[in-house]
């Protein structure tokens, strides 16, 4: 047998082995409807490479087991996959497009931060406290009045912020919005601040934010216990008016 023939046979064997390996890949495995228990498909998941396994799991997390016909699916976020192979394809597409969306959003945030920098450089905002208070405490009623009220166990979420005038000039009034996000990117609370009291240069004032008529929900109670290092504050001042009549205004 010539060397050339041997090489051809070897190439054919390698191709056959490659095809066999590809056929053994569990791309045709049906996706489960119950994504809380993946035990039935775990053996097939284990036969995937790490990257493909992550893609399947990522798709299942996003879809939560939902399957829609193409005609009813969101064209931007279609949950139409029924098999591993289809899930891998859709998740790769999602990640690719999400990277583009994230880049655009980051560019917009950077531009927004640049425009807000003069206002943030004049008036800082810091997160001071997260509390579950009684309704009377949330309303700021005097202690003697609160003492006459029975504690019915109802609690209200109150978040305190500190406005710090770092401009070196007296601020007559200020307003703006603040959001607090956790490390998953989820917004945990929002507050609109309208400061009408004068704030001397380098002075600070604490502002409480909450709805005394709204009972704290389990999510609010959980928010109180989130470690501070896991939280990010986004301060977007809308307008700052100085005592001399000049003002800084955020772009619309």
């Amino acid at each position: 047998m010539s060397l050339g023939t041997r090489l051809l046979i070897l190439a054919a064997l390698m191709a056959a082995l490659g095809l066999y390996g590809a056929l053994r890949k569990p791309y045709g495995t049906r996706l489960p409807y119950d994504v809380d228990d993946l035990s039935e498909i775990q053996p097939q998941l284990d036969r995937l490479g790490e990257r493909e396994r992550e893609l399947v799991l990522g798709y299942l997390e996003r879809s939560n087991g939902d399957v829609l016909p193409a005609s009813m699916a969101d064209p931007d976020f279609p949950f139409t996959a029924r098999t591993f192979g289809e899930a891998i394809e859709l998740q790769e597409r999602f990640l690719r497009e999400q990277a583009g969306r994230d880049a655009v959003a980051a560019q917009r945030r950077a531009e927004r931060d640049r425009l807000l920098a003069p206002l943030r450089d004049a008036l800082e905002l810091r997160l001071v406290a997260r509390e579950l208070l009684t309704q009377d405490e949330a309303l700021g009623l005097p202690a003697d009045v609160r003492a006459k009220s029975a504690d019915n166990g109802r609690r209200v979420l109150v978040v305190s912020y500190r406005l710090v005038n770092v401009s070196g000039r007296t601020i007559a009034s200020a307003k703006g919005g603040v959001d607090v996000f956790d490390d998953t990117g989820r917004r945990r609370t929002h507050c609109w601040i309208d400061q009408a009291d004068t704030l001397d240069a380098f002075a600070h004032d604490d502002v409480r934010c909450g709805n005394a008529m709204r009972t704290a929900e389990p999510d609010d109670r959980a928010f109180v216990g989130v470690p501070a290092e896991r939280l990010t504050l986004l301060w977007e001042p809308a307008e700052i008016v100085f005592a001399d009549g000049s003002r800084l205004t955020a772009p619309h």
Side-chain angles (χ1 to χ4, degrees):
M1 185 181 296
S2 67
L3 177 60
T5 302
R6 290 177 180 176
L7 290 175
L8 287 174
I9 293 174
L10 180 59
L13 286 172
M14 292 179 66
L17 288 172
L19 178 59
Y20 176 70
L23 290 174
R24 289 187 68 250
K25 287 287 187 180
Y27 297 129
T29 301
R30 303 286 290 185
L31 296 175
Y33 293 109
D34 181 5
V35 298
D36 294 326
D37 182 8
L38 302 181
S39 58
E40 289 189 3
I41 64 168
Q42 193 60 53
Q44 289 80 10
L45 283 171
D46 292 341
R47 286 164 54 194
L48 291 172
E50 182 178 355
R51 166 68 176 169
E52 291 181 335
R53 183 165 58 250
E54 290 178 354
L55 290 171
V56 172
L57 292 175
Y59 179 86
L60 289 174
E61 183 178 359
R62 287 196 306 116
S63 68
N64 198 32
D66 292 341
V67 182
L68 295 173
S71 59
M72 296 178 59
D74 184 332
D76 294 323
F77 304 99
F79 294 127
T80 57
R82 298 179 183 275
T83 66
F84 280 11
E86 293 171 354
I88 289 170
E89 181 180 350
L90 286 177
Q91 187 68 1
E92 283 183 327
R93 168 186 158 185
F94 167 77
L95 293 177
R96 183 171 58 252
E97 294 176 350
Q98 187 62 44
R101 287 188 289 265
D102 289 345
V104 171
Q107 185 175 8
R108 289 175 178 169
R109 283 196 301 271
E111 177 61 14
R112 180 73 175 168
D113 288 343
R114 184 185 69 80
L115 295 173
L116 288 177
L119 287 85
R120 289 172 173 164
D121 289 343
L123 185 62
E124 293 182 355
L125 188 73
R126 302 167 187 171
L127 179 62
V128 175
R130 294 159 281 153
E131 304 172 282
L132 293 171
L133 305 179
T134 66
Q135 185 178 35
D136 288 349
E137 289 172 335
L139 289 170
L141 298 180
D144 59 335
V145 176
R146 299 200 308 267
K148 299 176 183 178
S149 300
D151 187 350
N152 59 9
R154 182 172 177 269
R155 293 294 182 269
V156 175
L157 173 65
V158 176
V159 183
S160 298
Y161 302 93
R162 177 164 295 168
L163 286 166
V164 184
N165 181 356
V166 292
S167 70
R169 304 160 60 191
T170 299
I171 293 177
S173 65
K175 57 185 177 181
V178 56
D179 293 298
V180 179
F181 297 87
D182 62 24
D183 52 2
T184 69
R186 178 184 172 202
R187 188 175 76 171
R188 303 303 296 258
T189 190
H190 169 79
C191 183
W192 177 258
I193 294 175
D194 197 339
Q195 175 77 358
D197 296 333
T198 298
L199 197 57
D200 294 332
F202 306 113
H204 71 265
D205 191 19
D206 289 351
V207 179
R208 298 203 312 173
C209 189
N211 183 351
M213 300 297 110
R214 178 178 175 273
T215 301
E217 299 178 354
D219 195 55
D220 298 321
R221 295 175 181 272
F223 169 59
V224 171
V226 176
E229 60 270 19
R230 289 182 51 197
L231 299 175
T232 300
L233 183 147
L234 179 61
W235 166 230
E236 295 208 347
E239 183 182 63
I240 298 172
V241 180
F242 296 97
D244 61 7
S246 63
R247 68 184 60 206
L248 294 171
T249 304
H252 298 291

